[in-house]
Amino acid sequence: MMKIKFFSSSWSVTQSSVKLIRSLCSQISLPQVPENDSPLRIPENPNDVERAPNFSPTFNFASYINKSETLQQLLKLGVDLYKIERRKGLENFLLKLDFEHDMKHVIKFLHDQGISPDRLGQFLTKNPLIFKENCDDLQVRINYLESKKFQRDEIIRIIDNNPFWLMFSTQRIDKRLGFFQKSFYLTGREVRQLVCTAPRLITYSMEHIRMSTFSVKEEMGYETLEAKKLLLKIPKLWMINHDSLMERFDYVHKDMEISHEQLLKDPYILLSRTFRIRQRHDFLKYLGKAQYDPKKDLYISLKNLVVGSDEEFAINIARSSIPVYQNFLKTL
């Protein structure tokens, strides 16, 4: 068995956005900036900030748009400043940056890695702290993925779907991938599959991931190889709140009498909220159609029980009507 070794265990973007990206790519080259001399470093003395515009502390960008080139350029790129200003500290961080000196090279780097202009605004909205990073360090993190045999399109998908990935050093990523490989006996191909399917999971809270792993193996009762199947099928399971996950499992396993084996084959129901599962299951019981055994007639899969709108469920799955379903819900 071949294994890969991991050491230690709807954005609307205008034409001006595209033009700006093209302009950046043609005008600049990546600078060599020593980490300890980065203009993006957070100084020990908050009053000692180089290149900081003369702005007063604020909780709203609106009053600074007209006099800040940085904010104007971010708006052109499709960045949602309203979302950023709601996160403590980020508004002051951005106001202290100079677009030409502190941002252009990072934007060019992201574009060169495959982040398209229509996705760049969303990327920067989620992770404006990317401007704290040195481009040399960012390149090392891309090189690491290439060394682990990730294809170019896979790398683009990873950093596009998880804007925080590039904030993690290669050592931290390597340790986390090692944890998943060792804990679930993953092959190199399976590690890559997991990363590409759920890049957010790799940078998620390790404490939460360990708790979820314990819940799946010890509280739910799945063996390691069974837990591995669940992980590769629905890695999002490891990011669900612990109490919510166990509440869903207990209801499906005990109240609906679904076996471990059937849940392993059709686990997507665990991604749905308990009240939604209960409402639909009770309605099928009321109709005499709560039949989840694939070996019997009128079988309804666990996934079909929870997907789709209430109207789609009532008509296509329960073979009833939305008025009947809505009237039933009023009796609960």
Side-chain angles (χ1 to χ4, degrees):
M1 179 180 298
M2 296 182 63
K3 291 189 176 182
I4 185 172
K5 184 176 181 181
F6 293 92
F7 302 105
S8 16
S9 17
S10 84
W11 293 99
S12 175
V13 180
T14 63
Q15 286 296 321
S16 62
S17 304
V18 179
K19 291 180 180 178
L20 178 59
I21 293 293
R22 291 173 178 170
S23 173
L24 294 179
C25 293
S26 62
Q27 293 177 14
I28 62 176
S29 58
L30 296 179
Q32 303 293 324
V33 183
E35 184 173 357
N36 59 2
D37 192 36
S38 171
L40 297 179
R41 64 182 175 84
I42 300 177
E44 294 181 1
N45 182 354
N47 296 318
D48 181 23
V49 182
E50 296 180 350
R51 305 179 191 87
N54 187 25
F55 294 130
S56 302
T58 183
F59 295 99
N60 193 311
F61 282 128
S63 59
Y64 295 141
I65 295 295
N66 291 334
K67 52 184 176 181
S68 170
E69 181 193 1
T70 295
L71 298 184
Q72 293 170 16
Q73 297 288 11
L74 291 177
L75 283 175
K76 289 180 182 179
L77 292 170
V79 176
D80 191 333
L81 297 179
Y82 173 71
K83 288 186 177 180
I84 292 178
E85 70 185 10
R86 294 169 62 188
R87 295 159 63 188
K88 186 177 180 180
L90 288 184
E91 70 279 3
N92 286 330
F93 168 70
L94 285 183
L95 287 173
K96 292 172 184 177
L97 299 183
D98 177 81
F99 186 80
E100 295 290 327
H101 192 282
D102 300 332
M103 294 180 167
K104 265 192 174 184
H105 57 287
V106 176
I107 293 171
K108 181 182 184 299
F109 176 87
L110 294 174
H111 177 268
D112 290 346
Q113 300 310 314
I115 304 297
S116 61
D118 62 325
R119 295 282 296 172
L120 187 57
Q122 184 173 359
F123 184 105
L124 296 177
T125 299
K126 290 182 178 179
N127 183 22
L129 291 176
I130 191 70
F131 293 119
K132 291 179 62 177
E133 297 298 313
N134 183 288
C135 281
D136 289 342
D137 293 335
L138 297 179
Q139 186 60 58
V140 167
R141 294 159 195 173
I142 295 295
N143 294 344
Y144 171 84
L145 290 174
E146 294 174 339
S147 73
K148 298 306 178 184
K149 301 181 181 179
F150 286 91
Q151 300 301 309
R152 180 66 179 174
D153 61 322
E154 294 175 331
I155 294 175
I156 294 173
R157 189 160 66 249
I158 291 168
I159 63 176
D160 191 16
N161 292 338
N162 182 3
F164 298 99
W165 182 281
L166 289 173
M167 304 294 288
F168 285 69
S169 68
T170 56
Q171 291 83 2
R172 292 180 69 191
I173 291 295
D174 195 64
K175 185 176 181 180
R176 286 164 179 253
L177 296 184
F179 167 82
F180 283 105
Q181 184 173 41
K182 182 178 180 180
S183 299
F184 299 95
Y185 303 131
L186 301 180
T187 65
R189 180 187 63 79
E190 289 167 338
V191 170
R192 291 190 290 272
Q193 175 189 337
L194 179 64
V195 172
C196 293
T197 303
R200 283 183 59 239
L201 176 64
I202 309 304
T203 60
Y204 210 69
S205 163
M206 286 303 299
E207 180 181 356
H208 185 97
I209 290 172
R210 290 189 178 94
M211 175 62 74
S212 296
T213 301
F214 176 84
S215 296
V216 171
K217 291 183 178 181
E218 304 299 330
E219 296 181 280
M220 294 184 187
Y222 285 105
E223 300 293 336
T224 298
L225 292 181
E226 294 175 324
K228 171 182 175 178
K229 291 181 180 179
L230 284 175
L231 178 68
L232 295 177
K233 276 188 176 182
I234 47 171
K236 188 177 179 180
L237 211 63
W238 267 254
M239 294 184 280
I240 296 175
N241 174 271
H242 170 264
D243 292 338
S244 297
L245 176 60
M246 291 310 303
E247 180 185 43
R248 297 172 197 180
F249 174 81
D250 287 341
Y251 180 78
V252 173
H253 180 54
K254 297 177 182 178
D255 293 69
M256 293 176 60
E257 299 181 346
I258 302 300
S259 67
H260 283 79
E261 292 74 22
Q262 188 173 353
L263 261 179
L264 191 60
K265 295 177 181 178
D266 197 2
Y268 300 95
I269 190 173
L270 295 177
L271 298 179
S272 185
R273 296 176 184 271
T274 305
F275 80 88
R276 184 183 182 89
I277 302 172
R278 181 181 291 109
Q279 286 177 341
R280 295 189 174 188
H281 171 64
D282 286 349
F283 184 58
L284 291 179
K285 284 176 59 179
Y286 169 74
L287 298 176
K289 298 179 181 180
Q291 206 295 87
Y292 310 113
D293 188 342
K295 298 179 181 179
K296 297 181 180 180
D297 294 335
L298 304 177
Y299 162 67
I300 295 176
S301 74
L302 299 178
K303 184 176 182 179
N304 284 339
L305 176 66
V306 294
V307 299
S309 65
D310 283 349
E311 182 175 8
E312 292 171 328
F313 164 74
I315 296 174
N316 300 328
I317 306 302
R319 303 297 179 183
S320 182
S321 67
I322 189 63
V324 173
Y325 182 50
Q326 291 175 335
N327 287 334
F328 171 78
L329 293 180
K330 294 176 182 178
T331 67
L332 298 180

